[in-house]
PDB file of all heavy atoms in Angstrom:
ATOM      1  N   LYS E  78       1.902  10.136  -6.299  1.00  0.00           N
ATOM      2  CA  LYS E  78       3.091  11.003  -6.258  1.00  0.00           C
ATOM      3  C   LYS E  78       4.352  10.247  -6.710  1.00  0.00           C
ATOM      4  O   LYS E  78       5.402  10.346  -6.103  1.00  0.00           O
ATOM      5  CB  LYS E  78       3.300  11.592  -4.863  1.00  0.00           C
ATOM      6  CG  LYS E  78       2.158  12.437  -4.345  1.00  0.00           C
ATOM      7  CD  LYS E  78       1.977  13.710  -5.085  1.00  0.00           C
ATOM      8  CE  LYS E  78       2.970  14.733  -4.593  1.00  0.00           C
ATOM      9  NZ  LYS E  78       2.787  16.034  -5.190  1.00  0.00           N
ATOM     10  N   GLY E  79       4.230   9.455  -7.773  1.00  0.00           N
ATOM     11  CA  GLY E  79       5.381   8.785  -8.363  1.00  0.00           C
ATOM     12  C   GLY E  79       5.787   7.465  -7.729  1.00  0.00           C
ATOM     13  O   GLY E  79       6.817   6.901  -8.091  1.00  0.00           O
ATOM     14  N   GLU E  80       4.972   6.946  -6.798  1.00  0.00           N
ATOM     15  CA  GLU E  80       5.293   5.670  -6.156  1.00  0.00           C
ATOM     16  C   GLU E  80       4.038   4.818  -6.011  1.00  0.00           C
ATOM     17  O   GLU E  80       2.973   5.331  -5.678  1.00  0.00           O
ATOM     18  CB  GLU E  80       5.865   5.895  -4.754  1.00  0.00           C
ATOM     19  CG  GLU E  80       7.198   6.587  -4.720  1.00  0.00           C
ATOM     20  CD  GLU E  80       7.709   6.732  -3.305  1.00  0.00           C
ATOM     21  OE1 GLU E  80       7.003   7.312  -2.463  1.00  0.00           O
ATOM     22  OE2 GLU E  80       8.816   6.228  -3.052  1.00  0.00           O
ATOM     23  N   LEU E  82       1.904   2.841  -3.807  1.00  0.00           N
ATOM     24  CA  LEU E  82       1.794   2.871  -2.345  1.00  0.00           C
ATOM     25  C   LEU E  82       0.637   2.035  -1.803  1.00  0.00           C
ATOM     26  O   LEU E  82       0.572   1.789  -0.599  1.00  0.00           O
ATOM     27  CB  LEU E  82       1.614   4.313  -1.853  1.00  0.00           C
ATOM     28  CG  LEU E  82       2.787   5.263  -2.067  1.00  0.00           C
ATOM     29  CD1 LEU E  82       2.426   6.666  -1.603  1.00  0.00           C
ATOM     30  CD2 LEU E  82       4.030   4.753  -1.341  1.00  0.00           C
ATOM     31  N   ALA E 115       6.654   0.878  -0.975  1.00  0.00           N
ATOM     32  CA  ALA E 115       6.778   1.913  -2.006  1.00  0.00           C
ATOM     33  C   ALA E 115       7.633   1.393  -3.159  1.00  0.00           C
ATOM     34  O   ALA E 115       8.657   0.747  -2.946  1.00  0.00           O
ATOM     35  CB  ALA E 115       7.408   3.170  -1.408  1.00  0.00           C
ATOM     36  N   ALA E 116       7.182   1.677  -4.368  1.00  0.00           N
ATOM     37  CA  ALA E 116       7.921   1.292  -5.569  1.00  0.00           C
ATOM     38  C   ALA E 116       7.795   2.432  -6.571  1.00  0.00           C
ATOM     39  O   ALA E 116       6.690   2.765  -6.993  1.00  0.00           O
ATOM     40  CB  ALA E 116       7.371  -0.004  -6.155  1.00  0.00           C
ATOM     41  N   PRO E 117       8.898   3.070  -6.946  1.00  0.00           N
ATOM     42  CA  PRO E 117       8.825   4.215  -7.847  1.00  0.00           C
ATOM     43  C   PRO E 117       8.313   3.829  -9.237  1.00  0.00           C
ATOM     44  O   PRO E 117       8.618   2.752  -9.740  1.00  0.00           O
ATOM     45  CB  PRO E 117      10.263   4.724  -7.911  1.00  0.00           C
ATOM     46  CG  PRO E 117      11.115   3.613  -7.416  1.00  0.00           C
ATOM     47  CD  PRO E 117      10.258   2.737  -6.558  1.00  0.00           C
ATOM     48  N   ASP E 143       3.371   3.635   8.009  1.00  0.00           N
ATOM     49  CA  ASP E 143       4.730   4.099   7.725  1.00  0.00           C
ATOM     50  C   ASP E 143       4.719   5.156   6.630  1.00  0.00           C
ATOM     51  O   ASP E 143       3.931   5.083   5.684  1.00  0.00           O
ATOM     52  CB  ASP E 143       5.616   2.947   7.250  1.00  0.00           C
ATOM     53  CG  ASP E 143       6.092   2.053   8.375  1.00  0.00           C
ATOM     54  OD1 ASP E 143       5.653   2.274   9.517  1.00  0.00           O
ATOM     55  OD2 ASP E 143       6.895   1.156   8.103  1.00  0.00           O
ATOM     56  N   ASP E 144       5.598   6.113   6.755  1.00  0.00           N
ATOM     57  CA  ASP E 144       5.790   7.080   5.689  1.00  0.00           C
ATOM     58  C   ASP E 144       6.518   6.398   4.536  1.00  0.00           C
ATOM     59  O   ASP E 144       7.287   5.462   4.734  1.00  0.00           O
ATOM     60  CB  ASP E 144       6.638   8.266   6.169  1.00  0.00           C
ATOM     61  CG  ASP E 144       5.896   9.126   7.179  1.00  0.00           C
ATOM     62  OD1 ASP E 144       4.659   9.161   7.121  1.00  0.00           O
ATOM     63  OD2 ASP E 144       6.568   9.748   8.013  1.00  0.00           O
ATOM     64  N   ALA E 145       6.306   6.892   3.337  1.00  0.00           N
ATOM     65  CA  ALA E 145       7.020   6.375   2.180  1.00  0.00           C
ATOM     66  C   ALA E 145       8.486   6.779   2.284  1.00  0.00           C
ATOM     67  O   ALA E 145       8.822   7.839   2.805  1.00  0.00           O
ATOM     68  CB  ALA E 145       6.408   6.940   0.901  1.00  0.00           C
ATOM     69  N   LEU E 146       9.342   5.905   1.758  1.00  0.00           N
ATOM     70  CA  LEU E 146      10.759   6.247   1.695  1.00  0.00           C
ATOM     71  C   LEU E 146      10.960   7.375   0.697  1.00  0.00           C
ATOM     72  O   LEU E 146      10.187   7.501  -0.262  1.00  0.00           O
ATOM     73  CB  LEU E 146      11.560   5.028   1.224  1.00  0.00           C
ATOM     74  CG  LEU E 146      11.657   3.856   2.192  1.00  0.00           C
ATOM     75  CD1 LEU E 146      12.333   2.687   1.489  1.00  0.00           C
ATOM     76  CD2 LEU E 146      12.423   4.245   3.432  1.00  0.00           C
ATOM     77  N   PRO E 147      12.004   8.161   0.869  1.00  0.00           N
ATOM     78  CA  PRO E 147      12.323   9.143  -0.166  1.00  0.00           C
ATOM     79  C   PRO E 147      12.512   8.419  -1.501  1.00  0.00           C
ATOM     80  O   PRO E 147      13.033   7.298  -1.543  1.00  0.00           O
ATOM     81  CB  PRO E 147      13.636   9.763   0.321  1.00  0.00           C
ATOM     82  CG  PRO E 147      13.648   9.514   1.795  1.00  0.00           C
ATOM     83  CD  PRO E 147      12.912   8.218   2.002  1.00  0.00           C
ATOM     84  N   GLU E 148      12.069   9.064  -2.586  1.00  0.00           N
ATOM     85  CA  GLU E 148      12.048   8.415  -3.894  1.00  0.00           C
ATOM     86  C   GLU E 148      13.408   7.861  -4.299  1.00  0.00           C
ATOM     87  O   GLU E 148      13.508   6.742  -4.799  1.00  0.00           O
ATOM     88  CB  GLU E 148      11.537   9.393  -4.955  1.00  0.00           C
ATOM     89  CG  GLU E 148      11.318   8.743  -6.288  1.00  0.00           C
ATOM     90  CD  GLU E 148      10.677   9.671  -7.300  1.00  0.00           C
ATOM     91  OE1 GLU E 148      10.005  10.622  -6.889  1.00  0.00           O
ATOM     92  OE2 GLU E 148      10.866   9.421  -8.494  1.00  0.00           O
ATOM     93  N   ASP E 149      14.491   8.634  -4.068  1.00  0.00           N
ATOM     94  CA  ASP E 149      15.812   8.153  -4.490  1.00  0.00           C
ATOM     95  C   ASP E 149      16.241   6.925  -3.696  1.00  0.00           C
ATOM     96  O   ASP E 149      16.832   5.989  -4.233  1.00  0.00           O
ATOM     97  CB  ASP E 149      16.863   9.260  -4.418  1.00  0.00           C
ATOM     98  CG  ASP E 149      16.981   9.895  -3.034  1.00  0.00           C
ATOM     99  OD1 ASP E 149      16.063   9.743  -2.210  1.00  0.00           O
ATOM    100  OD2 ASP E 149      18.008  10.557  -2.785  1.00  0.00           O
ATOM    101  N   LEU E 150      15.894   6.867  -2.405  1.00  0.00           N
ATOM    102  CA  LEU E 150      16.237   5.704  -1.593  1.00  0.00           C
ATOM    103  C   LEU E 150      15.404   4.493  -2.020  1.00  0.00           C
ATOM    104  O   LEU E 150      15.934   3.378  -2.165  1.00  0.00           O
ATOM    105  CB  LEU E 150      16.033   6.007  -0.109  1.00  0.00           C
ATOM    106  CG  LEU E 150      16.312   4.857   0.850  1.00  0.00           C
ATOM    107  CD1 LEU E 150      17.741   4.336   0.703  1.00  0.00           C
ATOM    108  CD2 LEU E 150      16.072   5.303   2.291  1.00  0.00           C
ATOM    109  N   ALA E 151      14.111   4.688  -2.228  1.00  0.00           N
ATOM    110  CA  ALA E 151      13.247   3.583  -2.667  1.00  0.00           C
ATOM    111  C   ALA E 151      13.729   3.045  -3.997  1.00  0.00           C
ATOM    112  O   ALA E 151      13.766   1.820  -4.216  1.00  0.00           O
ATOM    113  CB  ALA E 151      11.795   4.062  -2.769  1.00  0.00           C
ATOM    114  N   ARG E 152      14.111   3.903  -4.927  1.00  0.00           N
ATOM    115  CA  ARG E 152      14.604   3.491  -6.243  1.00  0.00           C
ATOM    116  C   ARG E 152      15.912   2.695  -6.102  1.00  0.00           C
ATOM    117  O   ARG E 152      16.083   1.657  -6.713  1.00  0.00           O
ATOM    118  CB  ARG E 152      14.813   4.692  -7.150  1.00  0.00           C
ATOM    119  CG  ARG E 152      15.172   4.304  -8.580  1.00  0.00           C
ATOM    120  CD  ARG E 152      15.259   5.495  -9.510  1.00  0.00           C
ATOM    121  NE  ARG E 152      13.950   6.104  -9.688  1.00  0.00           N
ATOM    122  CZ  ARG E 152      13.611   7.335  -9.255  1.00  0.00           C
ATOM    123  NH1 ARG E 152      14.482   8.093  -8.660  1.00  0.00           N
ATOM    124  NH2 ARG E 152      12.408   7.802  -9.463  1.00  0.00           N
ATOM    125  N   ALA E 153      16.822   3.194  -5.249  1.00  0.00           N
ATOM    126  CA  ALA E 153      18.106   2.507  -5.052  1.00  0.00           C
ATOM    127  C   ALA E 153      17.883   1.114  -4.459  1.00  0.00           C
ATOM    128  O   ALA E 153      18.521   0.144  -4.892  1.00  0.00           O
ATOM    129  CB  ALA E 153      19.023   3.335  -4.145  1.00  0.00           C
ATOM    130  N   LEU E 154      16.982   0.996  -3.486  1.00  0.00           N
ATOM    131  CA  LEU E 154      16.687  -0.299  -2.901  1.00  0.00           C
ATOM    132  C   LEU E 154      16.051  -1.243  -3.937  1.00  0.00           C
ATOM    133  O   LEU E 154      16.375  -2.430  -3.985  1.00  0.00           O
ATOM    134  CB  LEU E 154      15.761  -0.148  -1.692  1.00  0.00           C
ATOM    135  CG  LEU E 154      16.385   0.499  -0.463  1.00  0.00           C
ATOM    136  CD1 LEU E 154      15.319   0.763   0.598  1.00  0.00           C
ATOM    137  CD2 LEU E 154      17.498  -0.364   0.106  1.00  0.00           C
ATOM    138  N   ALA E 155      15.159  -0.701  -4.771  1.00  0.00           N
ATOM    139  CA  ALA E 155      14.524  -1.525  -5.806  1.00  0.00           C
ATOM    140  C   ALA E 155      15.555  -2.011  -6.821  1.00  0.00           C
ATOM    141  O   ALA E 155      15.492  -3.156  -7.280  1.00  0.00           O
ATOM    142  CB  ALA E 155      13.411  -0.732  -6.499  1.00  0.00           C
TER     143      ALA E 155
END
Side-chain angles (χ1 to χ4, degrees):
K78 300 292 280 185
E80 294 182 304
L82 294 177
D143 282 5
D144 291 332
L146 291 173
E148 188 174 336
D149 56 342
L150 178 58
R152 187 175 293 113
L154 290 172

